[in-house]
Amino acid sequence: MIFEDMDRIVFAGDSVTDMGSPTPVSEGPWDNNLGDGYVRQVYALLGACYPEIRLRITNSGVSGNTSRDLLERFDRDVLSLNANWVSIMIGINDVWRFYDTPGMADIQVSEEEYGNNLTKMITDLKKQPQLKGIFVMSPVFMDINLEDIMRRKHESYRQVCEKVAKENDTIYIDVQSEINEYLKTRPATFIAPDRVHPNPVGNVLIARAFLDAAGFDYEHRCREING
């Protein structure tokens, strides 16, 4: 696994990251400080399977954020935390604003701006000397039907995300592909009733995609116990 003792990992994003955590920044095992989403699952699995590695997990997700919103608070809520690892998962609201507020052009984020916002975040992170790596997780829409107008638009933003992530030498996690594979067996409502906000099963799928990219070994603790 790529994480080392005393590393700090910051998860930046929107409601899919936030999931009820105190905003804008929260951490620690107390009450529900990490929310009910994939960040909490990552924290639990790392703590359970790698007890010898002390990690500081921080949730910097804010519900409703577009990439523009996240960029506006990035200095305060991400860069100032001096993390060793930062995960960025943003974009579904950039898509959603075209459909839930179609008449509000001033709050909509174009594909071009979305790509520029991601690039700016990554560029600023790379200037930090303590940084070890950046994860970029694709925005997720819990549906595989590309005939759906919102799902089709989401796919174009996901492609922008992948392009920016790979061009800037980050660890790109195509969470949408993981979801698509799962949805070959189960319907979208089984993991996200509104196709955007994951339930516990959907959150485990996202957490697993992140941990796989980090080199998580699910048998690590078992080998430690058995010698």
Side-chain angles (χ1 to χ4, degrees):
M1 189 179 67
I2 61 177
F3 302 134
E4 299 176 307
D5 192 41
M6 300 302 290
D7 276 353
R8 185 176 194 179
I9 310 166
V10 171
F11 291 88
D14 49 39
S15 58
V16 178
T17 298
D18 178 2
M19 290 300 287
S21 70
T23 58
V25 175
S26 56
E27 59 189 9
W30 311 282
D31 298 325
N32 197 35
N33 277 7
L34 290 176
D36 285 323
Y38 74 90
V39 177
R40 187 176 186 178
Q41 299 288 348
V42 168
Y43 169 85
L45 283 164
L46 287 171
C49 296
Y50 288 86
E52 73 280 10
I53 301 177
R54 295 164 294 175
L55 297 170
R56 184 175 182 179
I57 308 294
T58 303
N59 190 328
S60 188
V62 173
S63 181
N65 267 190
T66 62
S67 62
R68 183 189 298 164
D69 298 322
L70 177 56
L71 181 60
E72 288 175 353
R73 65 182 183 86
F74 206 70
D75 285 355
R76 182 194 67 191
D77 297 341
V78 180
L79 294 176
S80 69
L81 304 181
N82 297 313
N84 304 108
W85 302 89
V86 173
S87 174
I88 301 170
M89 187 180 188
I90 197 75
I92 190 58
N93 288 317
D94 298 54
V95 175
W96 209 344
R97 294 298 84 88
F98 286 91
Y99 301 99
D100 65 354
T101 52
M104 299 182 182
D106 56 314
I107 66 171
Q108 294 166 1
V109 179
S110 68
E111 292 176 34
E112 180 180 7
E113 182 186 349
Y114 174 60
N116 290 339
N117 291 342
L118 278 176
T119 300
K120 173 65 172 169
M121 294 178 214
I122 294 167
T123 300
D124 288 350
L125 279 169
K126 286 188 172 182
K127 296 175 184 177
Q128 297 198 303
Q130 85 289 341
L131 189 81
K132 296 181 180 180
I134 303 168
F135 297 88
V136 175
M137 304 175 73
S138 72
V140 177
F141 193 67
M142 306 288 189
D143 200 327
I144 57 176
N145 179 20
L146 286 172
E147 296 301 313
D148 180 276
I149 186 172
M150 186 171 167
R151 173 67 179 88
R152 189 163 63 247
K153 190 172 187 67
H154 161 270
E155 180 61 21
S156 66
Y157 279 70
R158 187 206 63 77
Q159 291 174 6
V160 171
C161 180
E162 180 176 8
K163 182 174 184 291
V164 169
K166 290 183 176 180
E167 285 180 349
N168 288 278
D169 195 30
T170 69
I171 302 171
Y172 176 64
I173 306 174
D174 190 356
V175 186
Q176 186 64 48
S177 290
E178 297 286 333
I179 297 300
N180 291 349
E181 189 64 29
Y182 187 84
L183 293 180
K184 292 177 181 178
T185 305
R186 293 284 186 127
T189 51
F190 190 77
I191 57 176
D194 65 358
R195 302 188 298 171
V196 171
H197 298 98
N199 65 15
V201 176
N203 282 311
V204 169
L205 293 173
I206 298 172
R208 187 177 66 182
F210 175 83
L211 291 170
D212 286 347
F216 187 92
D217 181 355
Y218 292 90
E219 296 182 357
H220 172 81
R221 183 59 177 156
C222 294
R223 286 200 299 270
E224 290 291 316
I225 292 173
N226 294 329

